[in-house]
């Protein structure tokens, strides 16, 4: 197999084919439902969703409100991104002329810097004055970075604040676009800013919990199941969560053990219902986002009880050194998509701007198995841009033909987008009430 | 020259290059201005604009609110059309689930039928239930047409009406999309319908006057000239109009002669200002739209005085047999774009859905000269799809590089779109006042 897209290497793809067929038949109703949902709850500015395709199940495993990786998208869909950015900005600030982009601080990640340059370019092409405001603490003056991969130049300027407005020396933007996930908390310079900040600071990973997101996702998947006429489990990873865990001190271990046990039983029941022969497994992750750190694959309660010191240290580590204080135990979804003659595991990542799917790419990993997390520290993946933009089906082709499989990816990714939209709305309501 | 896009074959391209440079430099301000305009006046559902590029001047010569030719667009930009249709429907009817497409009656035009099939497909891909309601008087029952070119099938159903709603046998749409320019007037079945009809029936060619459109365009071009820092003449064809002309009876000839004379003088003054050596000319057209019929190229008042019987009959003919009752005398814009080794004249046509440019094509004509109308009866043009979608510039390239020239086309086409938007708004106000 050296085709232009990954292939599914599993026997039991019948449920997925039924699912894809159903999506095609009901696409107008599904799209009408999505439209009605966006009227109730505005979509976030942008979002990327990691999916896993087990053949019998297609589900999101991570929803990123501050997506990097725009440089990995197919350049053919650039105009689609441009058009979607125009819609996104118009939704939040119809009069916006200028936009300030606040990226992550890690200027040594050459891939991430390409993402910033691509995002900058897209916003400029969408017709906005755009500049980059950095929150790197020791950045004292404007600095040009020449990018190692593309040779493009990034002009970073230190973010300044006057009263409740952030700005650059001679640039007072209407909108602040965060591409910084605020893992280390909201920097004081961005706290209580009067400009529109997108996505809202409160959704940074310092505060956001995966269990909140997947709680909203569960509701969304149920509603969608009714509209699409499918069992929502086909798109929804089961989960449970534990509030207080300290892996190093072995505090909260019993909560983890009992939840792992209950969740494995629930998955077994579902596997039995659909005659799935694979072995169920769960993923234990830090509930607060961690850039893929602190993730463990578990097949039995013994895996938890027998964690060694090294595994405990791994689970306790999180981005920028925060302790893990809560854990989410999530149904593991096999990745049965593989790429190339050596069947490397491939995981789709779908990108959305506003309510529009604008493409995506596969993370192709040469070293990881089909039960493991492909977005881990030190992980080297090869991005493989989608050929299709995932936004619409092609009825002249089979339900599992590439554009239609991509459309299914786009639908499931938008379910996660809708869950994120409800998360944002809930956080705004909380902020108002506070 | 056998490149992939037409080339400009004229000496005096300096004004255009200055213009293109200016557009690149001011694009963020221009886009902000467009956004502010769309908030004041909603764009029509869709629109195509015929442009002519004289090198020293780039101007619209025809703005079609019921565009055919979607089949001529680059399939690469399909997803852009889909996304734009979603925005367009959402703007007028957020809850719309179903859409009725009403095409022209001429089922023998194999090119037009391809357009209907492409439009149908795009609307379906945008996530709507769509069916085709025909107003062909003798269509008694649903009929399948197999298309000669693509082999696709069109399912035409006779439009029905109950009370103030139009529908098909078992299909009650929220929105009616006209792809029928109503040259013969509003069919009774569509008159006073309670559903949203897009574009509004009142903008059909039975009622629409080119002089109204270009009157609005003149205002738009002036405003744009200030924002872009250019002389609006560079994008605005001068015009005058005569109210009552009967070419066969030679009534109104003096009005025509004097206006041709005044207009030629105005053009000469502009040519002198910009050191343009070409000979000025004007186009005399029926003020009511005519599918390219009744169009005459005039270089002096003598051309009008010496019209022979045949020319008079030609001018008096109009689509579906209506008499010409008014005429517009418009500054002729040379087409200095040519295609291929034989330098065939090429005229760009830009397509828009909602406020988004979604591509276009060149009309390449083997028989017509650079002062003639390329959209004439019996005219055979070869469509040449744009490689670029025209929606955004590329700052890494020269101002006259293909994506940037296309961006300039997209801007001028959107000026015409904005003029059409004001036309629609004015017609709605008139309807309310009536």
């Amino acid at each position: 197999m050296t085709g232009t897209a990954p292939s599914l290497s599993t026997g039991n793809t019948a449920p997925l084919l039924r699912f894809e067929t159903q999506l095609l038949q009901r696409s107008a109703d599904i799209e009408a439902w999505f439209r009605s949902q966006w009227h109730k709850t505005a979509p976030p500015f942008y979002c990327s969703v990691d999916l896993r395709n087990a053949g019998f199940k297609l589900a999101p495993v991570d929803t990123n409100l501050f997506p990097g990786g725009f440089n990995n998208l197919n350049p053919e869909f650039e105009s689609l991104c441009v058009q979607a950015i125009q819609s996104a900005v118009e939704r939040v600030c119809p009069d916006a002329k200028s936009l300030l982009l606040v990226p992550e601080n890690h200027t040594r990640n050459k891939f991430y810097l390409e993402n910033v340059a691509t995002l900058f370019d897209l916003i400029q092409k969408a017709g906005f004055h755009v500049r980059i405001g950095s929150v790197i603490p020791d950045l004292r003056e404007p600095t040009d970075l020449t990018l190692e991969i593309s040779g493009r130049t990034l002009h970073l300027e230190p973010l300044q604040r006057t009263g409740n407005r952030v700005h650059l020396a001679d640039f007072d933007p209407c909108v602040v676009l965060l591409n910084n996930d605020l893992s280390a908390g909201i920097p004081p310079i961005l706290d209580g800013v009067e400009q529109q900040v997108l996505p809202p600071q409160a959704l940074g990973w310092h505060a956001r919990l995966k269990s909140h997101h997947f709680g909203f996702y569960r509701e969304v998947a149920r509603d969608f199941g009714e509209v699409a006429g499918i069992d929502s489990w086909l798109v929804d990873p089961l989960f449970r969560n534990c509030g207080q865990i300290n892996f190093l001190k072995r505090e909260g271990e019993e909560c983890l053990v009992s939840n792992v046990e209950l969740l494995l039983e629930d998955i077994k029941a579902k596997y039995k219902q659909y005659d799935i022969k694979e072995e169920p497994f769960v993923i234990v992750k830090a509930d607060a986002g961690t850039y893929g750190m602190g993730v463990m694959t578990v097949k039995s309660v013994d895996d938890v009880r027998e964690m060694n010191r090294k595994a405990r240290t791994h689970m306790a580590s999180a981005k920028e050194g925060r302790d893990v204080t809560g854990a989410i135990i999530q149904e593991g979804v096999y990745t049965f998509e593989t790429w190339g003659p050596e069947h490397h595991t491939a995981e789709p990542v779908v990108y959305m701007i506003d309510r529009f799917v604008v493409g995506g790419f596969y993370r192709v990993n040469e070293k990881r198995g089909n039960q493991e997390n492909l977005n881990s520290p030190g992980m080297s993946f090869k991005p493989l841009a989608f050929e299709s933009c995932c936004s619409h089906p092609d009825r002249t082709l089979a339900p599992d033909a590439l554009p239609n499989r991509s459309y299914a990816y786009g639908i499931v990714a938008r379910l996660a987008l809708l869950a994120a939209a409800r998360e944002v709305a809930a956080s705004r309501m909380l902020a108002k009430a506070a």
Side-chain angles (χ1 to χ4, degrees), chain A:
Chain A
M1 285 295 299
T2 49
T4 50
S7 57
L8 267 177
S9 58
T10 169
N12 196 351
T13 55
L16 183 63
L17 188 61
R18 271 199 302 277
F19 172 62
E20 287 166 337
T21 307
Q22 192 79 351
L23 294 189
L24 274 193
Q25 279 171 1
R26 300 222 179 162
S27 76
D29 295 320
I30 291 169
E31 295 300 332
W33 176 76
F34 268 122
R35 287 192 295 272
S36 71
Q37 296 303 312
W38 302 133
H39 293 136
K40 286 182 203 154
T41 319
F45 185 89
Y46 52 13
C47 182
S48 71
V49 175
D50 292 10
L51 298 179
R52 291 177 70 107
N53 186 354
F56 53 84
K57 177 162 191 159
L58 174 63
V61 293
D62 203 2
T63 303
N64 194 343
L65 282 165
F66 307 89
F70 276 96
N71 52 312
N72 295 328
L73 302 185
N74 191 333
E76 267 188 35
F77 304 127
E78 180 181 84
S79 52
L80 210 54
C81 295
V82 166
Q83 194 171 292
I85 289 172
Q86 290 167 342
S87 290
V89 179
E90 178 158 32
R91 178 189 296 282
V92 291
C93 187
D95 302 325
K97 290 185 179 183
S98 54
L99 196 148
L100 183 78
L101 178 62
V102 179
E104 298 282 350
N105 292 352
H106 38 70
T107 55
R108 289 189 198 154
N109 183 331
K110 62 184 178 181
F111 302 108
Y112 178 71
L113 294 178
E114 290 295 337
N115 162 67
V116 177
T118 300
L119 206 46
F120 180 90
D121 187 44
L122 290 172
I123 296 165
Q124 195 172 52
K125 284 178 173 165
F128 298 95
H129 295 283
V130 55
R131 306 238 310 248
I132 301 173
S134 174
V135 292
I136 296 175
D138 53 358
L139 188 80
R140 301 267 174 255
E141 51 191 34
T143 306
D144 280 343
L145 293 179
T146 302
L147 304 199
E148 196 180 321
I149 301 173
S150 65
R152 293 183 283 187
T153 301
L154 275 188
H155 186 67
L156 301 187
E157 298 177 74
L159 191 63
Q160 301 176 28
R161 179 162 176 163
T162 305
N164 284 329
R165 291 186 78 81
V166 285
H167 57 91
L168 305 179
D170 58 342
F171 185 73
D172 186 16
C174 327
V175 176
V176 178
L177 180 63
L178 290 183
N179 197 251
N180 181 317
D181 70 11
L182 308 179
S183 288
I186 303 174
I189 198 169
L190 281 172
D191 198 17
V193 160
E194 70 179 41
Q195 285 122 314
Q196 278 264 16
V197 178
L198 304 171
Q201 299 98 311
L203 271 289
W205 271 131
H206 65 290
R208 195 176 167 223
L209 296 180
K210 291 188 168 71
S211 56
H212 281 179
H213 176 72
F214 282 100
F216 284 113
Y217 185 83
R218 185 182 288 169
E219 287 176 13
V220 167
R222 273 184 201 153
D223 295 351
F224 169 74
E226 283 176 26
V227 175
I230 58 147
D231 176 357
S232 65
W233 178 75
L234 294 174
V235 296
D236 187 19
L238 303 176
F239 79 92
R240 291 173 162 271
N241 62 313
C242 290
Q244 295 295 330
I245 292 186
N246 186 319
F247 283 93
L248 285 176
K249 296 183 183 165
R250 307 193 70 150
E251 286 166 10
E253 188 171 293
E254 277 319 304
C255 170
L256 196 59
V257 166
S258 64
N259 277 310
V260 164
E261 193 160 22
L262 289 167
L263 190 58
L264 282 170
E265 276 167 23
D266 289 345
I267 303 170
K268 266 174 204 149
K270 276 295 180 184
Y271 276 26
K272 197 175 167 192
Q273 179 187 340
Y274 285 100
D275 195 27
I276 293 158
K277 306 298 183 197
E278 313 298 332
E279 188 183 2
F281 69 102
V282 302
I283 298 284
V284 180
K285 299 192 260 199
D287 202 0
T290 55
Y291 248 63
M293 292 190 196
V295 175
M296 185 170 63
T297 300
V298 172
K299 292 190 176 173
S300 76
V301 291
D302 294 340
D303 290 348
V304 178
R305 288 213 175 91
E306 290 160 13
M307 277 174 86
N308 59 21
R309 179 84 198 167
K310 191 181 161 200
R312 287 178 195 285
T313 307
H314 171 66
M315 287 307 291
S317 73
K319 195 192 175 194
E320 311 217 357
R322 294 176 65 245
D323 285 343
V324 173
T325 53
I328 176 169
I329 305 116
Q330 194 169 35
E331 176 187 351
V333 182
Y334 282 90
T335 290
F336 283 133
E337 282 190 296
T338 63
W339 165 255
E342 283 154 42
H343 294 279
H344 294 314
T345 306
E347 192 180 83
V349 191
V350 179
Y351 279 68
M352 288 151 293
I353 298 173
D354 199 69
R355 65 195 187 280
F356 303 107
V357 183
V358 295
F361 64 91
Y362 283 97
R363 285 201 189 97
V364 180
N365 195 299
E366 305 184 357
K367 289 173 191 156
R368 293 264 165 168
N370 63 11
Q371 300 154 42
E372 288 174 286
N373 185 322
L374 299 191
N375 188 18
S376 315
M379 180 194 73
S380 81
F381 66 85
K382 186 184 132 193
L384 176 70
F386 288 175
E387 276 181 27
S388 164
C389 68
C390 311
S391 74
H392 57 269
D394 186 337
R395 282 153 202 279
T396 63
L397 302 175
D400 60 346
L402 186 57
N404 292 329
R405 174 144 300 164
S406 302
Y407 177 59
Y409 288 177
I411 285 181
V412 176
R414 281 185 286 160
L415 297 177
L417 179 71
L418 181 52
R422 293 186 184 176
E423 236 185 307
V424 173
S427 106
R428 286 216 167 99
M429 283 170 69
L430 278 173
K432 260 187 201 161

